[in-house]
Amino acid sequence: MDSFKLLSLLKTCISSKSLVKGKLIHQKVISLGLQNNVSICKSLISFYFSSHLHDSAYRVFNTIEHPLDISLWNGLMAAYAKSFMYFEALELFQRLWEYPYLKPNSFTYPSVLKACGGLGNVGYGKMIHTHLIKVGSLYDVVVASSLVGMYAKCSMFDQATRMFDEMPERDVACWNTVISCYYQDGRAEKALELLGKMRDAGFEPNSVTLTVAISSCARLMDLERGKEIHGELVKDGIVLDGFFGSALVDMYGKCGCLEMAKEVFEQIPEKGVVTWNSMISGYSSVGDSRSCIELFRRMNAEGIKPSLTTLSSILMACSRSAQLQYGKFIHGYIIRNMIGADIFVNNCLIDLYFKCGNFHSAESIFEMMPKTDVVSWNVMISGFVSVGKYFDALITYEDMIKAGLNPDAVTFSSVLAACSQLAALEKGKEIHNSITQSSLERNEVVMGALLDMYAKCGAVDEAFRIFCNLPERDLVSWTSMITAYGSHGRALEALSLFGEMQKSSSKPDAVTFLAVLSACSHGGLVDEGCYYFNQMTSEHDIKPQLEHYSCLIDLLGRAGRLHEAYEFVQSNPETREDVGLLSTLFSACRLHKCLELGEKIAELLIKKDPDDSPTYIVLSNMYASAKKWDKVRKVKSNVHDFGMKFGVIAEEQFRCHEQAPTKTPSPESYPIVGNLLGFLRNRHRFHDWVADMLSQTPSSTLQVNSFLNLSQGVCTANPVNIQHLLHSNFHNYIKGSRFQENLHELLGTGIFSVDAHLWNLQRKISSHEFSTNSLKQHISDVVTSQLSHNLLPCLSNACNQNQIVDLQDILQRFTFSNICKIAFGVDITTLQNSGFVQAFDDAVEICSSRLLSPIPNVWKIKRLLNVGSEKRLKEAIDVVNDFAMEIIKSKERQRHNSSENRGKSKDLLSRFMSKTWEMEFEDQDQKRKFLRDIIISFVLAGKDSTSTALTWFFWLINGHPRCLRLILDEVSRLESFNYDELRELNYLHAALSESLRLFPPVPINSKLTVDDDVWPDGTQVRKGWFADYSAYGRMEKVWGPDCREFKPERWLDDEGVFKPCDQFRFPVFHCGPRMCLGKEMAYVQMKSVVVALMRGFEILAVDGGASAEKMMNPPYILTLNLKMKGGFLVKLKKRNDLI
Ligand code: HEM
C-alpha cells in the first residue's frame, strides 16, 4: 500500500470519524516504516485531533526522527490553537527555536498570535510583534490581521486600531477584527463608521461584519440604521443564520420594537439558545414576564436547554414587573433541575424577592451563596434599603466588613441612604471615615450620598462642608444642598446658594426650582416664592409642573393671600381643573375662615366629584364654625340630591351639627362637681355607662367636665373622629404630662409614655425587631415552652385534685412569665424570692389608680407626705429597678466577656442592647436607664393584655356552646401547632377578635390635646383638654343592632376566611402610628393557649359564663385593663372527646 492510498484512507476516516479504522491505518503506517513521512504524519495529527485524542496526535509528532519540516510544526500548532490549547501551542513554538534551521513563516505566526490572544498574554504577543517587524513579515496581510486580532483579544483596542491603520493591505477578516474592536471598546459609533469605510474600500461585509454592525446599532439604540442594514440584507437575499438573526432580534428588542423582534425571531429556522435569549431579553427589558415565561416554555418544549443568561433575563423581567409567581416558577425550575446558579442568577433572585417584598426569601438565598463578591452584598444592602429595612441594611453592611470585604461606591451609597432614613448621624459619620480610608472621596455618587445623609440627618453645616469639597458641583449637588437648607428652615441660605448656583455653570432645572419654592414655603417667603416662580417660567423657560403650582398655592394660602392664589389657579387651564390644588386652597380657606371663597371652591370640587365626602364635611364644618346652621342643613340635603351613598358615620356628622349646633353633648354635669356624681353612681359599670351615653349622642362623641373643672375633655367612639385623633392629626394628640406624671416612676421615658423624638426613636428600633422572623420564632418558642413547663402542669394539677381555680390569675402569671422571658430572657418562675413579680404588680396598680382617680392629683399630696399607696409605690419601684438593672449589668458582663454570644441572645433586652451602638449617651448609667425604661414599657404592654383577653374569651365561650363546638372542631383538626398552622385557624381568630371587640383589654384610652382643634364631626377640642376614645365595641352605629352579642361569624367571609376590619372601627390595638407593636404576638399567644387548653381540658366556669343577662351587665372592675371582677373561677375536666 503506498502513501497516497494511506492518505486517502485517512481522509475518509477523518470525515467518517472512524477511530478504529484510523488506528489500524496508523499501525499499517508504522509497519510500512512510513512514520517519518511528513504528509502522512500531518494527516495522522489531523485525524487524532478530529477524534480529540490530542496526546496521540502529539505522540505522532514526537516520534518523527527529524521533524525538520516547518509545515509539520505549523500543522500541530494550528490544531492546538483551533482546539483552544493555547499553552501547548506556545510550548511548541518555544521548542521550535531549538531547531535553528527551521524558520517560522506566515503560517506559524497566526496560530501563535491566536494563542497569545487566547491566553491574554500580551507581553509575549508584543515580543512577536517586534520580531515580525525585524524579519519584515508584517507585510503579510494574514499575519498583520492576526496581530490586530491578538491586540483586540487582549483588550488593547487602541493598539489594534493603530496597527490596522498602518496596514498597507487589508482583508475582510481584518476589517471584521477592527470593527469588533471598536464595538467591544464601547465605541459603537466608530464601528459603524468603519463599516462605511470598508465598503468604500471595495470590501463586501460578510455575516460577521453585519452581526457586529447590527449589535452596534442595538447599543446605540439606532433603530433607523439597524433597519437599513436589515433591509440591505433582505435585498441581497441573505438567509438569516443564528448569529445574525440573534443580533437582529436583540437590536429590535433593545430599540423597543418588540413586534419586529418577534417577526425576525420566528423567521430564524434554527434557533440556538443565544437566539432565544435575545428574544427573552427583549421582553425582559420591558418587564413582560408573561411573554418571557411563554418563550421559556416553548424553548423547553423544543429541547433547547436554557442557559444561566436565560434564567437571569427572565428573573429580571419578573422583578421589573413584580411578578412573584413567575419568579418563583423559575426559582423552582433552578432547584428542580439542580442548576448551579451563578452569582448573576442569585443576585437576580435576591432582587426579585426584595422587589416583591419577600425579603425573607432574599435572605435565605443570600445565606446559601458564597459571600466572596461585593456585588451580592450590595444587592442585599440596597434591597433592604428599598423595602425600608434600614437597620437590616446597616447590619448587613457590618457583616460584610466582618467578612473581610471592601465596600465599594455602591455599598457606600446604599448604606448612606439607610443612615439618611434612620437619621443615624453617628453611623453616617463612621461610614464617612471608611469612605476617606477607601479613597473614594472624589467619587461623585458617594459624595452625593454623603451630602444627602448629612442633610437628612439635620447636620446641614456638615452637608455644606461636603458640598464645598465636592470635586465638581453638578446640578444634583446644588439642588441637594438647596433642599437641605430649605427643609431645615434656613430659607435665606437656600436662596443665597441658589443665587450662587445661577452664577455657576450649572443651570437649575425643574427640581431645583421646586427646592427653591419649598424653601420659600418653609420660610414663609411669599414674595420671593412668587418671584422665583416667575423667573422659572420667564427666564429659564421651565414649564411649571403641578408640584410647583402646589408649592406656590400652599405658600400663598398659608399667608392668607387666598384670592391671589385662587386667581392664579384659575388663570391656567391645566391647574383650573386640578383637584389637588383646589383642595390645598380649600384647606387654606378653612384655616383662614374664608367662607365665601371656600364655598366657591367647594362647588368646583363637588362638581368634579359629587361623592367626595371630605369636601362636604369640611364645608359643613366651615358653616358650623360660622354658625350658619341652615347652610349645614342645605349641605346635607345636597348630599341626598346627589344621591351619594353616605355611610352611617358621615351622616352622623351632619346630624350632629343639626341637633347640637353649639355644644357637644355632655353627661349630666353639675357646677363644681362636674360629671363626678354620674361617675360615682356608675363606677361599677363605667364602660357601659360611657357606651350608653356615647350611643345617645348624635355622633358618638361626648364632652366631659371633671370635678372643679380641674380637667376637661372629650370622648368619642366615632371611627371618623378616632381616625382624626390617632392618625390624621396624630401630632396634636400626645401622651403628654398627665400620662407621664402618673406613670413616670414606673415607665420613665419608655416608649409607652413618651412622645415626639424619644418615642420616634424607640418605635423605630422596636418595630424593626418586631418584624424580624427570629423574634417571631423566639416568641413562639417561649410560649410553647412556658405552656408545657408552666401552664399545663399547673392546670393538670388542679384538674387532678378537682380544685376550683382562678383562671384569670393563672393566665396573668403565665403571660407575665412569658413577657419577662421574652423581654429580659429570664424565667421568673424559677427565680426565688426576687419580689419582682409582686413589686411590678403593685407598681402598676398604684400608678393606674392615680390615673383613674376621679379627683386628679390627690396622690401628689400623699407622695409629698410619703404615706399609704405612694410609700408602697416607692418601695415597689426600688425592687423593680434593682431587678432590671441587675439583669442589664449581667448582660453587659456577658457581652463583654464573650463577643461570640452577642448575636445569639434572642430576648428583647439583648436586641435593644445591640442597637444602642447607634446612639449617643452621656454615660453608661444613662444608657442603662434607657434600656430599663424601654424594657419595662414592653413588660407592662405585654403583661396583662393577653391574659385579660383570654379570660373574657373563655368566659364567653362558656356561655356559647355552639361557638365552643366550632372552635373544638377547628382545633382538633390541627396536627401540630406551629406558627404557620396557628395562622390557619380562621374561626378561632374570629372568635378571639369578637371577644376583644366586646371586652377590649384597654377599653378606654386617653390623649392630651396640644392645640385647639375641630374634629370631623364638628366637635371643638381645646388645647390642654384630654381627648379619649372608647374601644368598648357596643356602638350600634358602628357594629349594628346585634352589637352586644357574641358572634364570631361577623368576622368571616362566605368561605369562612377571617376578614379584618377597618382599624378605626376596631381600635382595640390602638391605631395609626402608635398602633400596638405586639398585636401579632398577642394572637400567637392567645391561639397557642386556647389550642393547648381546649385540647387538654373542659373549662367549666363556676358562674356558668356569659349568659344573655350577664352580657348586658358584665362583671368587670375599673382598672387600666378590663379585669374580671372577683377573678374567673373555673373547674377543669380532662377532655376525652378529642382525638
Ligand atoms: C390582646 C393583647 C393586646 C392588646 C389589646 C393591646 C393593645 C394596645 C393598645 C390599646 C396600645 C396603645 C396604648 C397607649 O398608647 O396607651 C398598645 C400599645 C403597645 N403595645 Fe399592645 N396590646 C396587646 C398586647 C401586646 C403585647 C403582647 C405586646 C408586646 C410586648 C404589646 C406591645 C405594645 C407596645 C410596645 C405598645 C406601645 C406602642 C407605641 O406607643 O408606639 N402589646 N397596645
Side-chain angles (χ1 to χ4, degrees), residues 735 751-752 759 763 819 938 941-942 945-946 996 1001-1002 1005 1068-1070 1074 1076-1078 1081-1082:
K735 290 269 177 174
I751 181 169
F752 220 75
W759 168 75
R763 177 82 193 188
I819 190 68
F938 271 89
S945 41
T946 9
L996 284 164
V1002 185
N1005 206 335
V1068 168
F1069 289 94
H1070 206 80
R1074 278 198 103 128
C1076 169
L1077 277 167
M1081 166 177 170

Side-chain angles (χ1 to χ4, degrees), residues 1091-1121:
V1091 172
L1093 261 60
M1094 287 184 61
R1095 282 177 157 215
F1097 310 97
E1098 277 182 63
I1099 299 164
L1100 306 166
V1102 172
D1103 74 348
S1107 62
E1109 187 195 334
K1110 279 192 219 126
M1111 287 291 278
M1112 297 306 287
N1113 210 359
Y1116 53 77
I1117 44 170
L1118 188 57
T1119 48
L1120 278 188
N1121 277 108

Side-chain angles (χ1 to χ4, degrees), residues 657-705:
H657 290 317
E658 279 179 274
Q659 295 175 355
T662 51
K663 207 165 174 289
T664 304
S666 165
E668 213 181 354
S669 179
Y670 300 90
I672 305 178
V673 290
N675 305 126
L676 181 64
L677 287 184
F679 172 77
L680 292 176
R681 232 183 279 139
N682 289 286
R683 197 185 167 115
H684 65 289
R685 56 180 297 274
F686 177 77
H687 300 296
D688 288 81
W689 175 56
V690 174
D692 289 348
M693 286 189 295
L694 285 170
S695 40
Q696 281 158 27
T697 66
S699 96
S700 312
T701 304
L702 275 172
Q703 186 185 315
V704 188
N705 306 314

Side-chain angles (χ1 to χ4, degrees), residues 737-748 846-847 850 857-875 877:
S737 54
R738 177 161 165 256
F739 205 87
Q740 278 150 25
E741 266 187 8
N742 286 299
L743 294 169
H744 176 72
E745 287 92 336
L746 179 62
L747 293 182
I846 299 167
C847 289
R850 284 173 170 183
N857 296 341
V858 174
W859 59 268
K860 286 188 184 164
I861 303 164
K862 282 206 225 163
R863 189 178 61 180
L864 201 72
L865 303 173
N866 194 23
V867 292
S869 55
E870 288 300 316
K871 184 166 182 267
R872 273 192 292 122
L873 176 65
K874 225 164 156 255
E875 290 159 4
I877 293 290

Side-chain angles (χ1 to χ4, degrees), residues 764-795:
K764 262 188 191 155
I765 306 177
S766 317
S767 52
H768 165 259
E769 282 309 328
F770 270 75
S771 69
T772 58
N773 261 352
S774 64
L775 183 62
K776 288 180 190 170
Q777 192 52 53
H778 179 58
I779 289 172
S780 168
D781 292 346
V782 169
V783 174
T784 316
S785 142
Q786 295 271 331
L787 263 172
S788 53
H789 295 114
N790 170 354
L791 186 61
L792 289 176
C794 160
L795 293 180

